[in-house]
């Protein structure tokens, strides 16, 4: 993409300067500082001179090999993420297949999208407290319902049981996010060249064949993107488990973010340990983002080429670009 | 595409199943919130005695109990509003500016800068929280709104989005015409480009606002004074012991924290859904 304006190049620096400055102060410096704290003995409420540990990696070693709670938090984060993501992507794909099927012509899609996406916009904290209240013991709306349906004679203590507590946290996460995933996937399907579907239809492919042979392969990039953003999101899961049961029962819903928060800000002031845990989390998310980076860079290069072409060509091809953008 | 009558019956059955599933999911989305709003109007005794989907008459008494226990939704609303609206303004303005700088000018570090944006787009804020807190503690910015507002200037994902938007819509001729007319570069951006970017700015503003409004982690770390609490922190108070048995007022508190978001959502849902779709495709 070649654009005129060599004389103006300094404005490129000026216009991006506020961004860079804010990033250096509020993101880069804190990350480096966190990494540094991870190697030190910084603990306690009252500031005192800190120094780097004799074995700089002591905090990391302790966390990875000796800290049961931290390991549990990593495992929990993984479990909660898988239990929420697999049904989430499955349902989102199913709904996408239904909503984009030209032969079915499902009515009221707009309303369904608005309603299914709705939980995503409401404060996660509010939803967490709401669910813990709905599942109250011995009398709460869910227990009332269970009793009404005659499923159980005695009220169920959902929040005391590890499996149901984890299940509910995963369900909340699923319930808040499948609508979002669905809308993204539908948008992805809209972006597929309609000629592909047309020729499939002419060749006599049915809905299921079309979905598996055309829709799914074309969505590969978007699916991967969804997967990775959801993984990083899952890694930083905090609001819901924190306000739902504060990690209980027996640390079964303790996530990595909650571990960090708990070490540093809930009375023990173990800043060094929390910082080391943050760095481990950072490394994991950096690896995950690495994948996204490659994914996006390739697409962007393709996009650049497309735009170059668009500029060179005349009105006809720029119309194509305009349509593509609206999706 | 509608050339076949065979299998019409199966299709009708399929369609019925699809509608049933969709309606079930829609009910699943609404029901918890419906119960929340209904229970906000019921007394604790009524709530304890069973499920109801019809409102009762204890709205005011629930509200009174809630407010008696130092739950101040007006203050929380104001705090959240100040933080979210300031952060949103900074995010959309400076991200648009940076994106414009990226698209319009050819400068040596343009490529590297864009690569850098892609790299830092997904760093979770929790990863730097400890260093951030220590830093803010040292410069006495805890219990201030500034550390929750100023970092919004650097929003890599928004810059990315704005860049894609400008690439697709901005024609450099507009900028050049403005130059011929003697407009300075900043003036061109503020007077001509920014108004052109309104659709993208509006979408990103909605998401930035809601994201800031719902943020719990950072405010929870930084704000310890009660009068500085934001809405999500106030929600966490409802989990505490003081409301242990006052279910009516807990629901009332939850309803109050959710209400502004419902209003915003139903006013802007069309744009929000469109925005989600746009963000995901990253065309």
């Amino acid at each position: 993409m070649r654009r005129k304006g060599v004389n103006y190049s300094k404005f490129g620096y000026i216009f991006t300067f506020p961004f860079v400055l804010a990033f250096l102060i509020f993101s880069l410096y804190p990350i480096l500082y966190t990494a540094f704290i991870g190697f030190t003995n910084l603990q306690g409420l009252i500031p005192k001179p800190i120094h780097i540990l004799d074995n700089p990696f002591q905090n990391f070693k302790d966390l990875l090999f000796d800290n049961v709670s931290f390991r549990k938090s990593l495992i929990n984060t993984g479990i909660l993420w898988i239990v929420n993501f697999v049904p989430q992507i499955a349902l989102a794909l199913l709904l996408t297949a239904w909503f984009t099927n030209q032969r079915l012509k499902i009515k009221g899609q707009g309303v369904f999208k608005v309603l299914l996406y709705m939980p995503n916009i409401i404060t996660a904290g509010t939803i967490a407290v709401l669910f813990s209240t709905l599942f109250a013991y011995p009398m709460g709306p869910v227990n009332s319902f269970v009793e009404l349906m005659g499923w159980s004679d005695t009220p169920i203590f959902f929040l005391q049981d590890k499996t149901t507590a984890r299940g509910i946290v995963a369900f909340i996460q699923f319930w808040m996010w499948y609508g979002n995933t669905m809308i993204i996937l539908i948008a992805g399907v809209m972006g597929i060249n309609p000629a592909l579907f047309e020729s499939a239809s002419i060749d006599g492919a049915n809905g299921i064949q079309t979905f598996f042979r055309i829709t799914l392969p074309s969505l590969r990039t978007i699916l991967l993107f969804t997967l990775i953003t959801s993984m990083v999101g899952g890694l930083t899961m905090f609001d819901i488990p924190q306000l739902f049961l504060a990690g209980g029962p027996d640390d079964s819903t303790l996530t990595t973010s909650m571990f960090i928060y708990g070490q540093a800000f809930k009375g023990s002031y173990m800043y060094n340990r929390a910082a080391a845990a943050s760095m481990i989390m950072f490394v994991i998310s950096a690896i995950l983002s690495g994948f996204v980076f490659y994914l996006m860079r390739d697409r962007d290069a393709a996009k650049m080429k497309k735009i170059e072409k668009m500029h060179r060509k005349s009105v006809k091809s720029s119309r194509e670009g305009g349509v593509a953008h609206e999706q | 595409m509608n050339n076949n009558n065979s299998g019409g019956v199966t299709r009708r059955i399929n369609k019925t199943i699809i509608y049933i599933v969709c309606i079930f999911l829609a009910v699943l989305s609404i029901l918890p919130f419906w119960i929340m709003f209904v229970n906000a109007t019921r007394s604790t005794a009524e709530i304890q005695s069973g499920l109801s989907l019809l409102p009762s008459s204890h709205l005011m008494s629930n509200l009174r109990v809630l407010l008696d226990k130092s739950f101040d939704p007006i203050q929380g609303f104001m705090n959240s509003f100040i933080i979210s609206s300031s952060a949103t303004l900074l995010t959309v303005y400076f991200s648009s500016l940076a994106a414009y700088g990226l698209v319009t000018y050819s400068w040596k570090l343009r490529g590297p800068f864009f690569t850098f944006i892609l790299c830092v787009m997904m760093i979770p804020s929790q990863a730097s929280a400890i260093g951030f807190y220590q830093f803010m503690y040292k410069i006495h910015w805890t219990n201030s709104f500034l550390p929750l507002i100023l970092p919004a200037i650097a929003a890599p994902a928004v810059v990315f989005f704005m860049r894609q938007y400008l690439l697709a819509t901005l024609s450099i001729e507009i900028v050049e015409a403005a130059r011929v007319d003697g407009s300075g570069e900043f003036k061109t951006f503020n007077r001509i480009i920014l108004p052109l970017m309104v659709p993208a700015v509006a979408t990103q503003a909605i998401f930035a606002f809601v994201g800031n409004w719902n943020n719990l982690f950072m405010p929870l770390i930084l704000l310890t004074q009660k009068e500085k609490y934001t809405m999500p922190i106030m929600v966490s108070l409802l989990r505490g012991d003081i409301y242990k048995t006052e279910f009516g007022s807990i629901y009332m508190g939850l309803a109050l924290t959710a209400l502004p978001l419902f209003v915003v959502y139903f006013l802007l849902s069309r744009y929000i859904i469109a925005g989600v779709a746009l963000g995901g495709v990253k065309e």
Side-chain angles (χ1 to χ4, degrees):
Chain A
M1 186 182 56
R2 199 166 294 270
R3 284 187 164 166
K4 285 178 223 161
V6 187
N7 304 333
Y8 295 95
S9 66
K10 69 170 187 205
F11 285 101
Y13 294 98
I14 295 172
F15 282 11
T16 47
F17 179 71
F19 178 96
V20 173
L21 188 69
F23 181 82
L24 292 179
I25 297 173
F26 296 112
S27 287
L28 189 66
Y29 175 66
I31 285 177
L32 297 176
Y33 196 25
T34 308
F36 171 69
I37 292 169
F39 297 113
T40 67
N41 64 343
L42 181 65
Q43 286 179 3
L45 183 59
I46 300 122
K48 54 189 172 197
I50 57 170
H51 57 82
I52 293 175
L53 297 170
D54 298 334
N55 173 6
F57 290 97
Q58 193 62 43
N59 292 323
F60 294 90
K61 221 181 98 196
D62 289 349
L63 277 175
L64 289 173
F65 300 108
D66 301 325
N67 197 314
V68 184
S69 195
F70 180 69
R71 219 175 311 150
K72 217 181 225 175
S73 83
L74 281 179
I75 295 169
N76 285 339
T77 308
I79 293 175
L80 290 176
W81 180 77
I82 289 172
V83 175
N84 114 67
F85 188 74
V86 174
Q88 178 190 321
I89 202 82
L91 182 61
L93 274 173
L94 184 67
L95 291 169
T96 304
W98 286 347
F99 283 0
T100 55
N101 191 324
Q102 296 296 325
R103 290 183 209 158
L104 286 169
K105 291 198 184 68
I106 303 296
K107 290 194 192 77
Q109 286 194 25
V111 178
F112 283 130
K113 278 185 193 168
V114 167
L115 289 177
L116 303 193
Y117 180 76
M118 186 172 68
N120 195 277
I121 210 102
I122 306 300
T123 315
T126 301
I127 286 174
V129 178
L130 174 62
F131 271 77
S132 80
T133 319
L134 291 178
F135 283 93
Y137 175 88
M139 277 309 285
V142 176
N143 265 319
S144 304
F145 184 71
V146 168
E147 195 188 45
L148 195 74
M149 303 300 279
W151 288 336
S152 170
D153 299 332
T154 51
I156 303 164
F157 208 156
F158 293 100
L159 307 184
Q160 196 74 294
D161 183 271
K162 282 187 188 183
T163 318
T164 48
R166 270 188 191 142
I168 295 166
V169 170
F171 172 78
I172 299 173
Q173 207 79 17
F174 157 82
W175 178 72
M176 282 183 76
W177 286 97
Y178 79 90
N180 183 75
T181 310
M182 173 192 81
I183 292 169
I184 290 172
L185 292 180
I186 291 176
V189 174
M190 300 297 193
I192 300 171
N193 188 349
L196 280 175
F197 291 112
E198 240 160 74
S199 57
S201 164
I202 289 164
D203 292 345
N206 64 28
I208 293 166
Q209 283 170 329
T210 314
F211 182 76
F212 280 101
R213 299 284 170 82
I214 293 176
T215 313
L216 218 48
S218 310
L219 287 180
R220 217 184 54 217
T221 325
I222 290 178
L223 281 173
L224 205 54
F225 177 77
T226 312
L227 177 87
I228 292 164
T229 45
S230 156
M231 273 176 139
V232 175
L235 205 62
T236 57
M237 205 189 300
F238 177 77
D239 302 19
I240 288 172
Q242 175 70 30
L243 289 189
F244 182 60
L245 285 171
D250 191 23
D251 280 358
S252 61
T253 56
L254 183 84
T255 63
T256 315
S257 280
M258 291 166 71
F259 177 84
I260 294 167
Y261 175 75
Q263 292 299 317
F265 303 105
K266 268 169 63 182
S268 51
Y269 306 106
M270 306 282 272
Y271 294 114
N272 56 348
R273 191 188 286 166
S278 310
M279 277 305 111
I280 295 172
M281 185 164 107
F282 175 74
V283 169
I284 299 174
S285 61
I287 294 169
L288 295 175
S289 316
F291 287 118
V292 170
F293 171 65
Y294 275 107
L295 204 72
M296 304 290 264
R297 202 186 55 166
D298 287 345
R299 301 192 75 209
D300 219 76
K303 163 101 188 164
M304 295 270 249
K305 259 181 222 155
K306 199 168 135 197
I307 282 169
E308 227 167 355
K309 225 187 213 168
M310 214 167 81
H311 277 269
R312 262 190 253 118
K313 278 189 180 176
S314 56
V315 198
K316 200 184 172 189
S317 57
S318 74
R319 195 190 60 124
E320 193 184 88
V323 172
H325 173 74
E326 269 169 37
Q327 284 144 6
Chain B
M1 266 172 218
N2 39 15
N3 55 344
N4 38 357
N5 282 321
S6 64
V9 181
T10 16
R11 189 170 314 146
R12 208 160 300 145
I13 294 168
N14 281 342
K15 271 182 97 163
T16 314
I17 294 170
I18 290 169
Y19 282 118
I20 289 171
V21 171
C22 288
I23 289 165
F24 171 77
L25 290 172
V27 169
L28 199 65
S29 282
I30 298 167
L31 197 60
F33 300 119
W34 185 264
I35 294 174
M36 173 180 80
F37 283 117
V38 166
N39 280 356
T41 69
R42 299 170 79 209
S43 71
T44 300
E46 283 173 331
I47 293 167
Q48 297 277 28
S49 72
L51 195 61
S52 164
L53 295 178
L54 297 172
S56 179
S57 57
H58 294 81
L59 185 82
M60 291 321 284
S61 66
N62 283 339
L63 192 60
R64 218 172 300 122
V65 173
L66 179 76
L67 298 182
D68 273 351
K69 300 195 174 176
S70 71
F71 187 92
D72 192 347
I74 306 285
Q75 183 75 55
F77 183 90
M78 287 313 292
N79 292 341
S80 280
F81 189 78
I82 292 167
I83 293 171
S84 309
S85 47
S86 320
T88 303
L89 282 176
L90 292 181
T91 294
V92 293
Y93 183 77
F94 287 107
S95 301
S96 308
L97 190 67
Y100 180 68
L102 259 175
V103 171
T104 316
Y105 307 106
S106 50
W107 37 298
K108 224 188 215 160
L109 295 177
R110 176 158 81 173
F113 182 74
F114 183 62
T115 310
F116 160 77
I117 297 247
L118 285 180
C119 285
V120 298
M121 211 155 77
M122 296 190 69
I123 297 177
S125 63
Q126 276 95 332
S128 60
I130 304 296
F132 189 74
Y133 174 78
Q134 288 292 331
F135 178 32
M136 291 303 131
Y137 186 80
K138 280 205 180 119
I139 59 171
H140 304 289
W141 271 19
T142 53
N143 281 313
S144 155
F145 289 163
L146 289 176
L148 297 169
I149 295 171
L150 291 180
I153 294 172
V158 184
V159 177
F160 180 84
F161 180 90
M162 295 295 193
R163 175 184 173 274
Q164 306 303 90
Y165 184 80
L166 280 177
L167 279 179
T169 55
L170 181 73
S171 71
I172 200 76
E173 286 77 19
I174 298 175
V175 183
E176 274 158 5
R179 276 179 198 150
V180 171
D181 290 347
S183 167
E185 294 302 302
F186 270 102
K187 204 176 156 196
T188 308
F189 174 74
N190 288 327
R191 296 280 176 79
I192 299 167
I193 308 301
L194 211 51
L196 286 177
M197 292 176 76
V198 161
V201 166
T203 312
Q204 290 304 305
I206 295 170
F207 287 104
F209 190 89
V210 171
N212 278 297
W213 183 280
N214 287 342
N215 187 12
L216 174 69
F217 193 79
M218 277 300 167
L220 197 60
I221 287 173
L222 291 165
L223 307 174
T224 51
Q225 288 166 4
K226 221 166 187 146
E227 63 272 18
K228 298 280 169 61
Y229 280 1
T230 61
M231 275 311 218
I233 305 183
M234 308 211 70
V235 171
S236 70
L237 295 179
L238 296 169
R239 277 285 286 153
D241 286 332
I242 49 170
Y243 291 103
K244 201 105 212 172
T245 52
E246 293 289 353
F247 282 114
S249 51
I250 293 178
Y251 284 112
M252 186 74 220
L254 292 172
L256 284 178
T257 57
L259 196 60
L261 287 164
F262 275 108
V263 173
V264 170
Y265 186 58
F266 284 112
L267 287 176
L268 301 175
S269 60
R270 268 184 59 199
Y271 304 95
I272 292 175
I273 300 294
V276 176
L278 216 60
V281 178
K282 295 244 158 71
E283 163 59 21

